[in-house]
Amino acid sequence: MTQTAIPYLFMRGGTSRGPYLNRADLPQDLETLAEVLIAMIGAGHPLNIDGIGGGASVTTKVAMLSRSADEWADVDYFFAQVSVADRLVDFKPTCGNILSGVGPAAIEMGLVPAQNGETQVNIRAVNTEARVAAVVQTPGGQVSYEGAAQIDGVPGTSAPVALQFMETVGGVTGAFLPTGNLVNVIDGIAVTCMDVAMPMVISSAADFGLSGYESAAELDENREFFARMEALRLKAGALMGMGDVSKSVTPKFGILAPARDGGTIATRYFMPWNTHPSMAVTGAQCLASCVLTPGTVADGLASIPNEVPAPITLEHASGSIDVLVDYAQTDAGFQVKSAGLVRTARKIAAGEVFIPASVWAGH
């Protein structure tokens, strides 16, 4: 046997895509698992020519699912971000876009029984311990991918997947504000370091001499900006208690500007070594929380809705994304209770993906 076959679903989740795998079909130790995922994706080549990756950070993501031992959750979702051009796998972050496909995939894999009409799948995000309830359309007890829901960054329409994120504060760093401050000044730039669904470093676009309305391609060409941003991100990661983050995709970076197209605020999100073509679901929650928190770098850039839950529309490089944030202002400060979003997912392929047996010969 020269190759090992691994069952998989190939799915688009939100504005990302990748293989959805049963954790039981994979090696348990992370070192071997990383090598398996590198081979599967074809990491180490800009086109991922020897694997099923798509040559971009949003198409080299992997979801691994298993039945959960958690009393609340139905499914454990373990995420891996595989590099495009480097042979690296990061198991630290989670991905909310890929999570959009976890409910449908869990039903397709037989991990969760489908109900007639719609099925709620309770998901534990293993990487960050976040709890997410996903409502999947299941008419006749079958997952439906047809529908009228549209999300910016994906052509056409699909069935909606409603997501409610809970217990997302401090999932990586243990704190809402990991540095203890609403604002830190690093390399002359004011930043807010926040950990809601995703640890982030957030600044005003203007402080970098940017409008905040640049396209993803324009930002990717601005290597001077990326050099300044990365130097700042490394220092912020240390201040956030995350240690040396030079080889980690977290913390992510975001920039803010006044809204231009009717939204709450304009945003750009970085992955972090290139610009996200749209917006991460996790990043959207963190950015929306930053907008709602008094005293952050978002102050003065947005008109804050005065209802709770608060509807926040983030303009991004491909359009916009809506986040409904339930929060409270307490004596202890701003408190995020939950965040709701609607995304879509689609099953693209199913079968077996093959890796060299020299990488892993299977169980």
Side-chain angles (χ1 to χ4, degrees):
M1 182 180 69
T2 61
Q3 297 208 89
T4 302
I6 301 172
Y8 84 123
L9 292 174
F10 194 63
M11 297 187 68
R12 173 184 64 75
T15 56
S16 298
R17 74 157 201 250
Y20 287 64
L21 309 162
N22 191 319
R23 185 71 180 92
D25 293 331
L26 298 162
Q28 290 304 302
D29 71 284
L30 295 187
E31 190 173 333
T32 307
L33 177 62
E35 291 301 317
V36 167
L37 299 184
I38 286 166
M40 187 180 295
I41 294 298
H45 184 281
L47 298 177
N48 303 135
I49 203 72
D50 201 37
I52 60 172
S57 296
V58 293
T59 59
T60 56
K61 297 171 180 275
V62 180
M64 294 162 282
L65 312 185
S66 55
R67 285 192 178 90
S68 184
D70 184 276
E71 286 186 4
W72 176 84
D74 301 308
V75 176
D76 281 353
Y77 156 54
F78 184 39
F79 172 74
Q81 176 68 65
V82 184
S83 291
V84 176
D86 301 310
R87 292 177 55 82
L88 295 173
V89 179
D90 197 344
F91 294 113
K92 293 189 194 74
T94 192
C95 175
N97 273 302
I98 287 292
L99 191 147
S100 309
V102 168
I107 296 168
E108 297 268 15
M109 289 179 183
L111 297 173
V112 174
Q115 308 301 312
N116 185 21
E118 57 184 32
T119 303
Q120 178 167 317
V121 181
N122 292 340
I123 302 163
R124 181 177 78 102
V126 174
N127 308 65
T128 61
E129 291 295 326
R131 303 291 196 270
V132 185
V135 177
V136 181
Q137 301 304 303
T138 51
Q142 299 288 323
V143 177
S144 173
Y145 298 101
E146 298 286 332
Q150 187 270 334
I151 61 174
D152 289 339
V154 177
T157 63
S158 303
V161 178
L163 301 173
Q164 191 71 26
F165 288 79
M166 298 158 277
E167 298 179 33
T168 59
V169 173
V172 173
T173 65
F176 176 57
L177 297 169
T179 69
N181 301 313
L182 284 161
V183 175
N184 291 85
V185 178
I186 304 172
D187 293 345
I189 303 279
V191 297
T192 291
C193 299
M194 188 170 281
D195 185 0
V196 178
M198 176 67 69
M200 285 193 68
V201 185
I202 304 164
S203 75
S204 164
D207 282 357
F208 281 99
L210 300 169
S211 68
Y213 314 126
E214 290 86 356
S215 69
E218 286 171 332
L219 288 166
D220 282 344
E221 290 169 3
N222 189 341
R223 300 323 296 175
E224 180 186 347
F225 161 66
F226 267 86
R228 289 182 67 196
M229 177 176 65
E230 181 63 1
L232 193 162
R233 189 184 78 90
L234 297 182
K235 293 175 183 175
L239 284 177
M240 295 167 78
M242 298 176 68
D244 178 5
V245 298
S246 58
K247 292 185 178 179
S248 176
V249 298
T250 56
K252 299 292 177 65
F253 207 97
I255 57 174
L256 305 174
R260 189 174 63 167
D261 298 313
T264 309
I265 199 164
T267 63
R268 293 296 183 267
Y269 184 79
F270 303 91
M271 299 188 291
W273 304 300
N274 51 14
T275 311
H276 200 292
S278 55
M279 174 57 65
V281 168
T282 48
Q285 295 169 67
C286 195
L287 289 165
S289 299
C290 181
V291 168
L292 288 167
T293 305
T296 70
V297 294
D299 264 8
L301 295 178
S303 178
I304 307 302
N306 49 23
E307 69 245 57
V308 179
I312 302 294
T313 298
L314 303 174
E315 298 173 2
H316 58 68
S318 297
S320 64
I321 185 171
D322 298 322
V323 188
L324 190 65
V325 182
D326 189 13
Y327 71 96
Q329 285 284 8
T330 67
D331 292 341
F334 184 86
Q335 178 189 3
V336 178
K337 295 181 179 177
S338 67
L341 301 94
V342 172
R343 305 304 278 165
T344 67
R346 188 171 80 85
K347 181 170 70 171
I348 298 170
E352 294 176 329
V353 59
F354 293 86
I355 62 160
S358 57
V359 174
W360 183 57
H363 292 299

Coordinates of all heavy atoms in Angstrom, one line a residue, residues 291-339:
V291 N -16.3 47.7 18.9 CA -17.1 48.9 18.5 C -18.1 49.3 19.7 O -18.3 50.5 20.0 CB -17.9 48.6 17.2 CG1 -19.0 49.7 17.0 CG2 -17.0 48.5 16.0
L292 N -18.6 48.3 20.3 CA -19.6 48.5 21.4 C -19.0 48.9 22.7 O -19.7 49.4 23.6 CB -20.5 47.3 21.6 CG -21.5 47.0 20.5 CD1 -22.0 45.6 20.6 CD2 -22.6 48.0 20.5
T293 N -17.7 48.7 22.9 CA -17.0 48.9 24.2 C -16.5 50.3 24.3 O -15.7 50.8 23.5 CB -15.9 47.9 24.4 OG1 -16.3 46.6 24.3 CG2 -15.2 48.1 25.8
P294 N -17.0 51.1 25.2 CA -16.5 52.5 25.4 C -15.0 52.6 25.7 O -14.5 51.7 26.4 CB -17.3 53.1 26.5 CG -18.5 52.2 26.7 CD -18.1 50.8 26.2
G295 N -14.3 53.5 25.1 CA -12.9 53.7 25.4 C -11.9 53.0 24.6 O -10.7 53.1 24.8
T296 N -12.4 52.2 23.6 CA -11.5 51.5 22.7 C -11.1 52.4 21.5 O -11.5 53.5 21.4 CB -12.1 50.2 22.1 OG1 -13.2 50.6 21.2 CG2 -12.7 49.4 23.2
V297 N -10.3 51.8 20.6 CA -9.8 52.6 19.4 C -11.0 52.9 18.5 O -10.8 53.6 17.5 CB -8.7 51.9 18.7 CG1 -7.4 51.8 19.5 CG2 -9.1 50.5 18.2
A298 N -12.1 52.2 18.7 CA -13.3 52.4 17.9 C -14.1 53.7 18.2 O -14.9 54.2 17.5 CB -14.3 51.2 17.9
D299 N -13.7 54.3 19.4 CA -14.4 55.5 19.8 C -14.4 56.6 18.8 O -13.3 56.9 18.3 CB -13.8 56.0 21.1 CG -14.6 55.5 22.4 OD1 -15.5 54.6 22.2 OD2 -14.3 56.0 23.5
G300 N -15.5 57.1 18.5 CA -15.6 58.2 17.5 C -15.7 57.8 16.1 O -15.9 58.7 15.2
L301 N -15.5 56.5 15.8 CA -15.6 56.0 14.4 C -16.9 55.5 14.0 O -17.2 55.3 12.8 CB -14.5 54.9 14.2 CG -13.0 55.4 14.4 CD1 -12.1 54.1 14.2 CD2 -12.7 56.5 13.4
A302 N -17.8 55.2 15.0 CA -19.1 54.6 14.7 C -20.2 55.2 15.5 O -20.0 55.7 16.6 CB -19.0 53.1 14.9
S303 N -21.4 55.1 14.9 CA -22.6 55.5 15.7 C -23.2 54.2 16.3 O -23.5 53.2 15.5 CB -23.6 56.1 14.7 OG -24.8 56.4 15.4
I304 N -23.3 54.1 17.6 CA -23.6 52.9 18.3 C -25.1 52.8 18.4 O -25.8 53.7 18.9 CB -23.0 52.9 19.7 CG1 -21.5 53.2 19.6 CG2 -23.2 51.5 20.4 CD1 -20.7 52.2 18.7
P305 N -25.7 51.6 18.0 CA -27.1 51.4 18.2 C -27.4 51.4 19.7 O -26.6 50.9 20.5 CB -27.4 50.1 17.5 CG -26.1 49.4 17.3 CD -25.0 50.5 17.3
N306 N -28.6 51.9 20.1 CA -28.9 52.0 21.5 C -29.8 50.8 22.0 O -30.3 50.9 23.1 CB -29.4 53.3 22.0 CG -30.5 53.8 21.1 OD1 -31.2 53.0 20.4 ND2 -30.8 55.1 21.0
E307 N -30.0 49.8 21.1 CA -30.8 48.7 21.5 C -29.9 47.5 21.9 O -28.8 47.5 21.5 CB -31.9 48.3 20.5 CG -31.2 47.7 19.2 CD -31.4 48.5 18.0 OE1 -31.1 49.7 18.0 OE2 -32.0 48.0 17.0
V308 N -30.5 46.6 22.7 CA -29.8 45.4 23.1 C -30.7 44.2 22.9 O -31.8 44.3 23.4 CB -29.3 45.5 24.6 CG1 -28.6 44.2 25.0 CG2 -28.4 46.7 24.9
P309 N -30.3 43.2 22.2 CA -29.0 43.0 21.5 C -28.8 44.1 20.4 O -29.8 44.6 19.9 CB -29.1 41.6 20.9 CG -30.3 40.9 21.6 CD -31.2 42.0 22.0
A310 N -27.5 44.4 20.2 CA -27.2 45.5 19.3 C -26.8 44.9 17.9 O -26.0 44.1 17.8 CB -26.0 46.2 19.8
P311 N -27.5 45.4 16.8 CA -27.2 45.0 15.5 C -26.0 45.8 15.0 O -26.0 47.0 14.9 CB -28.4 45.3 14.7 CG -29.1 46.4 15.4 CD -28.7 46.3 16.9
I312 N -24.9 45.1 14.7 CA -23.7 45.8 14.2 C -23.4 45.3 12.7 O -23.3 44.0 12.5 CB -22.5 45.4 15.0 CG1 -22.7 45.9 16.5 CG2 -21.2 46.1 14.5 CD1 -22.9 47.4 16.7
T313 N -23.3 46.2 11.8 CA -23.0 45.8 10.4 C -21.5 46.2 10.1 O -21.2 47.4 10.2 CB -23.9 46.5 9.4 OG1 -25.3 46.0 9.7 CG2 -23.5 46.1 8.0
L314 N -20.7 45.3 9.9 CA -19.3 45.5 9.6 C -19.1 45.5 8.1 O -19.3 44.5 7.4 CB -18.4 44.5 10.2 CG -18.5 44.3 11.7 CD1 -17.6 43.1 12.1 CD2 -18.1 45.5 12.5
E315 N -18.7 46.7 7.5 CA -18.3 46.7 6.1 C -16.9 46.1 5.9 O -16.0 46.3 6.7 CB -18.3 48.1 5.6 CG -19.7 48.8 5.7 CD -19.6 50.3 5.4 OE1 -18.5 50.8 5.0 OE2 -20.7 51.0 5.5
H316 N -16.8 45.2 4.9 CA -15.5 44.5 4.7 C -15.1 44.6 3.2 O -15.8 45.2 2.4 CB -15.5 43.1 5.3 CG -16.5 42.2 4.7 ND1 -16.5 41.8 3.4 CD2 -17.6 41.6 5.3 CE1 -17.6 41.0 3.2 NE2 -18.3 40.9 4.4
A317 N -14.0 43.9 2.9 CA -13.5 44.0 1.5 C -14.4 43.5 0.4 O -14.3 43.8 -0.7 CB -12.1 43.4 1.4
S318 N -15.4 42.6 0.8 CA -16.3 42.0 -0.2 C -17.7 42.4 0.0 O -18.6 41.9 -0.7 CB -16.2 40.5 -0.1 OG -14.9 40.0 -0.5
G319 N -18.0 43.3 1.0 CA -19.4 43.7 1.2 C -19.6 44.0 2.7 O -19.0 44.9 3.2
S320 N -20.5 43.2 3.4 CA -20.7 43.5 4.8 C -21.1 42.2 5.5 O -21.5 41.2 4.8 CB -21.7 44.6 5.0 OG -23.0 44.2 4.5
I321 N -21.1 42.2 6.8 CA -21.5 41.1 7.6 C -22.3 41.7 8.8 O -21.8 42.7 9.4 CB -20.4 40.2 8.1 CG1 -20.9 38.9 8.8 CG2 -19.3 40.9 8.9 CD1 -19.8 37.9 9.1
D322 N -23.4 41.0 9.2 CA -24.2 41.5 10.3 C -24.0 40.6 11.5 O -24.0 39.4 11.4 CB -25.7 41.4 9.9 CG -26.1 42.4 8.8 OD1 -25.5 43.5 8.7 OD2 -26.9 42.0 7.9
V323 N -23.7 41.3 12.7 CA -23.6 40.6 13.9 C -24.5 41.1 14.9 O -24.7 42.3 15.1 CB -22.1 40.7 14.5 CG1 -21.9 39.8 15.7 CG2 -21.1 40.5 13.4
L324 N -25.3 40.2 15.6 CA -26.2 40.7 16.6 C -25.6 40.3 18.0 O -25.5 39.2 18.4 CB -27.6 40.0 16.5 CG -28.7 40.5 17.3 CD1 -29.1 41.9 17.0 CD2 -29.9 39.6 17.2
V325 N -25.2 41.4 18.7 CA -24.4 41.2 20.0 C -25.3 41.4 21.2 O -25.9 42.5 21.4 CB -23.2 42.1 20.0 CG1 -22.4 41.8 21.3 CG2 -22.3 41.9 18.8
D326 N -25.5 40.4 22.0 CA -26.2 40.6 23.3 C -25.1 40.9 24.4 O -24.2 40.1 24.5 CB -26.9 39.3 23.7 CG -27.9 39.5 24.9 OD1 -28.1 40.7 25.2 OD2 -28.3 38.5 25.4
Y327 N -25.3 42.0 25.1 CA -24.3 42.5 26.0 C -24.9 43.2 27.2 O -26.1 43.5 27.2 CB -23.2 43.4 25.3 CG -23.8 44.7 24.9 CD1 -23.6 45.8 25.7 CD2 -24.5 44.9 23.7 CE1 -24.1 47.1 25.4 CE2 -25.0 46.2 23.4 CZ -24.8 47.2 24.2 OH -25.3 48.5 23.9
A328 N -24.1 43.5 28.2 CA -24.5 44.3 29.3 C -23.4 45.2 29.7 O -22.2 44.8 29.6 CB -24.9 43.3 30.5
Q329 N -23.7 46.4 30.2 CA -22.8 47.3 30.8 C -23.0 47.1 32.3 O -24.0 47.5 32.9 CB -23.0 48.7 30.4 CG -22.6 49.1 29.0 CD -21.1 49.2 28.9 OE1 -20.4 49.0 29.8 NE2 -20.6 49.6 27.7
T330 N -21.9 46.6 33.0 CA -22.0 46.3 34.4 C -21.0 47.1 35.2 O -20.2 47.8 34.5 CB -21.8 44.8 34.7 OG1 -20.4 44.5 34.4 CG2 -22.7 43.9 33.9
D331 N -21.0 47.0 36.5 CA -20.0 47.8 37.3 C -18.6 47.3 36.9 O -17.6 48.0 37.1 CB -20.3 47.5 38.8 CG -21.6 48.2 39.3 OD1 -22.0 49.1 38.5 OD2 -22.1 47.8 40.3
A332 N -18.5 46.0 36.5 CA -17.2 45.5 36.1 C -16.8 45.8 34.7 O -15.7 45.5 34.2 CB -17.3 43.9 36.2
G333 N -17.7 46.6 34.0 CA -17.4 47.0 32.6 C -18.3 46.3 31.6 O -19.3 45.7 31.9
F334 N -17.8 46.3 30.3 CA -18.6 45.7 29.2 C -18.6 44.2 29.3 O -17.5 43.6 29.5 CB -18.0 46.2 27.9 CG -18.7 45.8 26.7 CD1 -19.8 46.5 26.2 CD2 -18.3 44.6 26.0 CE1 -20.5 46.1 25.1 CE2 -19.0 44.2 24.9 CZ -20.1 45.0 24.4
Q335 N -19.7 43.6 29.1 CA -19.8 42.1 29.2 C -20.5 41.6 28.0 O -21.7 41.9 27.7 CB -20.5 41.7 30.5 CG -20.7 40.2 30.6 CD -21.6 39.8 31.8 OE1 -22.1 40.6 32.4 NE2 -21.8 38.5 32.0
V336 N -19.9 40.7 27.2 CA -20.5 40.1 26.0 C -21.2 38.8 26.5 O -20.6 38.0 27.1 CB -19.5 39.7 24.9 CG1 -20.1 39.0 23.8 CG2 -18.7 41.0 24.4
K337 N -22.5 38.7 26.2 CA -23.2 37.5 26.5 C -23.2 36.5 25.4 O -23.0 35.3 25.6 CB -24.7 37.9 26.9 CG -24.8 38.7 28.2 CD -26.2 39.0 28.5 CE -26.4 39.9 29.7 NZ -27.8 40.2 30.0
S338 N -23.6 36.9 24.2 CA -23.6 36.0 23.0 C -23.6 36.9 21.8 O -23.8 38.1 21.8 CB -24.8 35.1 23.0 OG -26.0 35.9 22.9
A339 N -23.3 36.2 20.6 CA -23.3 36.9 19.3 C -24.0 36.0 18.3 O -23.7 34.8 18.3 CB -21.9 37.3 18.9

